[in-house]
Amino acid sequence: MSASSTMTIRLSADLKARLERVADNTRRSKSWLAGEAIEAYVERELEIIEGIERGLADVRAGRVTPHDEVMADIRDRIEAKAKRA
């Protein structure tokens, strides 16, 4: 089991009451629920950050397609599909 540490956060009275409701209904502690929520948030945000970093690396390496070229390709595909319909 990994070591844990304590962190103090401020919640609105309404959010605290809703968290208590979830805790009561799921038979989990508020701390456990808060930890799970923070973990999910951090993982999601890190995925976004890493995606942005990969995109920026692609830009720096020249692995990009100009917007006009992409839009022309999309228009061509739409037109071809329309002609087949």
Side-chain angles (χ1 to χ4, degrees), residues 61-76:
R63 294 184 300 262
V64 295
T65 304
H67 179 270
D68 293 341
E69 187 178 320
V70 172
M71 292 307 296
D73 182 53
I74 290 171
R75 285 188 204 97
D76 290 346

Side-chain angles (χ1 to χ4, degrees), residues 74-84:
I74 290 171
R75 285 188 204 97
D76 290 346
R77 290 171 188 248
I78 291 170
E79 187 177 314
K81 184 76 169 178
K83 286 181 181 177
R84 283 185 259 146

Side-chain angles (χ1 to χ4, degrees), residues 11-69:
L11 303 175
S12 68
D14 178 60
L15 180 55
K16 184 178 178 189
R18 292 186 292 146
L19 178 60
E20 288 170 350
R21 183 176 171 203
V22 174
D24 289 343
N25 283 289
T26 60
R27 296 188 177 136
R28 296 285 188 175
S29 71
K30 292 179 295 200
S31 293
W32 187 89
L33 292 171
E36 289 292 303
I38 292 169
E39 182 176 5
Y41 173 81
V42 168
E43 289 302 315
R44 186 185 73 230
E45 291 299 308
L46 285 174
E47 286 178 13
I48 291 168
I49 290 167
E50 289 164 1
I52 291 168
E53 288 171 346
R54 285 191 305 273
L56 291 172
D58 284 342
V59 169
R60 285 189 293 273
R63 294 184 300 262
V64 295
T65 304
H67 179 270
D68 293 341
E69 187 178 320

